[in-house]
Amino acid sequence: IEWGGHRVTYIDIASQAVSVFAGSGVAGATDGVGGDATFNAPDCVAVSPDGTTAVVCDQLGHRIRAISMSTRVVTTVAGSGVAGHVDGVGSGSQVHTPIGVAFDPTGDSSWVVVGDQTSVRVVDLVTQQVTTIAGLLGTIGNAVGSGSATRLDNVAGLEFSRDGSVLYVADLVNNVIKTIDMCPTKCKAVCGAGYYATVNGSCGTDAYPYPKCSSCGNNFTSGVGSYQQGDCSCMDGHYLHGDECVACDKACGVGEYENQACTGSTNRVCVEGITCPAGAFDVSGAPNSVGWLAGSRSGVAGYVNGWSNVARFNLVRAPSMMLDGITLLVADQLNHAIRSINTVTLEVTTLAGTGGAGWVDGVGTSAVFNSPTGVCVSVDGLRAYVAEYSSHRVRAIEISTKTVSTLAGNGVQGSTSGIGAAASLNHPHDVAVTPDGLGLLVIEWGGTLEIST
């Protein structure tokens, strides 16, 4: 995404060829094909798991746009063009400066989550229904809780855990990463004892509503009659006591599950489970629980590595999960660095960047960035790609060696197609790898490009 280019650009990763994918480069709100469509300061982009659709947050257009990856047809799926906070259908809904979007990686490409000024919303791409799952519409703040009790201040990036159960939220102005339990939103079939609900609503074996954790290492041990989730925390119906998952005092009946907000307590409340058709999701059940992951709990900015609330960010954006399902990369814009969060130990470290602004290719903390605002991980997990807003470049990081190189752009603000440094970009703001691993879609805040890998 090029923020000032009002375009989406495609970069071929192998050849480093840069070309316009959608957007004329002039601000507007016209649906159309490729360069005939117009955007107004697009900010973020995500590509569906099946590779058919890209969804773009049109920030100053206050709309959610969809692009067909095969035909490049651009359509509007949500938002009226007026900044606001209204759930509804299509143009009957209102979004306010949306700057975060993510697809569920487990395979359902029919819906996305979108972050805007005060909330996280679910957008059904088929029905165009917009529904808020976290945050109070129109109210800025900084708090965790359930559903509308949560307070946010500009959601500048969203990312799912690999199993789709957790949504990571970059709370930009609050300088913190938060988590949302997505289980109340995703379909839970009412399954019998010894079964769990899969993503498409059918019942699998082991436990309700999650499968047993196959290997938790030394994090926890399972007590008799207890289960652990894939992230090795205690599953519904159990709480952590010492290093053991112990059955809760209150037993839940069929079609019920434990309130996620009460993890670790013996005083847990059973709430109704959610029944929905296969392939669907349901936002009518228990509210989504929101928690802290990393960064200041009081919104304090800084540049500090360390554990969870000791760590400090300065305008944190664009969380992106590594293939290990544990390591979360984020763009730390005003610290000019790419940071790494271990979602199990909660330790925050710096992958690349010095903390100062500039442009230097190099290794790890010897490399220099200038306002990185977007980051994504390659399909094979070997590389990270960075949209560098103030340097007008797209950078690449080899994960194993932390070697930083420049993929496209020459540091001169512009909108010129070409190969590598012969191409010029206009405030690239976000980047997403295509599912085939061959290319990148780049949002130019003034334009959107696609880069092939």
Side-chain angles (χ1 to χ4, degrees):
I1 293 288
E2 292 185 83
W3 195 88
H6 310 292
R7 302 184 306 173
V8 177
T9 302
Y10 179 82
I11 301 177
D12 182 273
I13 295 175
S15 67
Q16 298 180 271
V18 178
S19 59
V20 175
F21 190 70
S24 68
V26 177
T30 303
D31 289 341
V33 180
D36 293 332
T38 57
F39 298 88
N40 191 353
D43 187 275
C44 57
V45 62
V47 182
S48 61
D50 63 9
T52 62
T53 307
V55 173
V56 174
C57 295
D58 208 357
Q59 184 184 0
L60 298 187
H62 309 292
R63 294 176 172 92
I64 305 302
R65 316 286 292 279
I67 309 174
S68 166
M69 292 296 292
S70 60
T71 66
R72 298 193 296 154
V73 171
V74 179
T75 56
T76 300
V77 295
S80 65
V82 176
H85 308 277
V86 178
D87 286 346
V89 178
S91 60
S93 65
Q94 290 182 345
V95 293
H96 195 303
T97 55
I99 52 176
V101 63
F103 278 93
D104 180 350
T106 57
D108 190 345
S109 297
S110 68
W111 59 282
V112 293
V113 285
V114 171
D116 64 6
Q117 185 189 47
T118 64
S119 56
V120 176
R121 330 274 287 272
V122 168
V123 179
D124 187 314
L125 300 179
V126 178
T127 67
Q128 299 187 352
Q129 174 68 49
V130 179
T131 307
T132 300
I133 62 170
L136 184 62
L137 291 174
T139 301
I140 288 174
N142 185 21
V144 298
S146 293
S148 60
T150 299
R151 297 292 182 269
L152 302 162
D153 193 347
N154 287 276
V155 177
L158 298 162
E159 176 73 321
F160 279 92
S161 60
R162 287 289 172 184
D163 64 2
S165 66
V166 176
L167 183 68
Y168 298 99
V169 180
D171 195 350
L172 180 71
V173 180
N174 288 323
N175 299 300
V176 69
I177 299 293
K178 294 175 179 174
T179 61
I180 300 180
D181 169 28
M182 290 301 292
C183 295
T185 296
K186 294 175 67 173
C187 181
K188 282 194 175 93
V190 177
C191 301
Y195 291 84
Y196 67 95
T198 60
V199 173
N200 67 3
S202 61
C203 294
T205 58
D206 286 341
Y208 176 86
Y210 295 106
K212 222 186 237 185
C213 180
S214 57
S215 61
C216 290
N218 297 321
N219 292 332
F220 301 119
T221 58
S222 288
V224 176
S226 69
Y227 297 94
Q228 294 171 320
Q229 294 176 200
D231 63 359
C232 302
S233 61
C234 294
M235 68 165 293
D236 290 345
H238 300 80
Y239 68 98
L240 182 63
H241 180 69
D243 63 352
E244 197 170 287
C245 292
V246 180
C248 294
D249 295 341
K250 182 175 171 126
C252 289
V254 174
E256 294 182 327
Y257 65 101
E258 294 282 352
N259 187 339
Q260 297 290 309
C262 297
T263 300
S265 169
T266 57
N267 182 23
R268 294 171 51 113
V269 179
C270 292
V271 294
E272 288 186 3
I274 301 169
T275 306
C276 58
F281 63 91
D282 191 329
V283 293
S284 64
N288 297 73
S289 176
V290 180
W292 307 103
L293 182 71
S296 169
R297 305 309 192 246
S298 57
V300 176
Y303 186 31
V304 179
N305 287 323
W307 184 84
S308 193
N309 63 332
V310 173
R312 294 290 182 268
F313 303 98
N314 196 348
L315 296 188
V316 62
R317 293 177 175 269
S320 184
M321 181 60 73
M322 296 284 291
L323 290 190
D324 62 10
I326 295 173
T327 307
L328 191 71
L329 300 182
V330 296
D332 195 356
Q333 183 178 354
L334 294 189
N335 284 325
H336 311 289
I338 303 303
R339 312 285 291 280
S340 173
I341 306 171
N342 184 307
T343 59
V344 174
T345 67
L346 306 186
E347 183 181 8
V348 177
T349 57
T350 298
L351 177 68
T354 63
W359 173 68
V360 177
D361 285 340
V363 178
T365 54
S366 68
V368 184
F369 296 88
N370 195 347
S371 294
T373 50
V375 62
C376 69
V377 177
S378 64
V379 172
D380 60 13
L382 301 180
R383 272 181 154 190
Y385 298 100
V386 178
E388 199 172 2
Y389 174 78
S390 294
S391 183
H392 311 292
R393 294 176 170 94
V394 173
R395 313 282 289 278
I397 307 174
E398 297 291 338
I399 299 297
S400 61
T401 64
K402 301 183 181 181
T403 300
V404 179
S405 59
T406 300
L407 182 67
N410 51 34
V412 177
Q413 181 180 355
S415 299
T416 304
S417 297
I419 306 296
S424 60
L425 304 177
N426 193 343
H427 292 299
H429 216 266
D430 196 19
V431 61
V433 66
T434 55
D436 60 12
L438 300 179
L440 302 173
L441 286 181
V442 179
I443 294 290
E444 296 182 81
W445 203 79
T448 308
L449 300 172
E450 184 180 358
I451 299 177
S452 298
T453 55

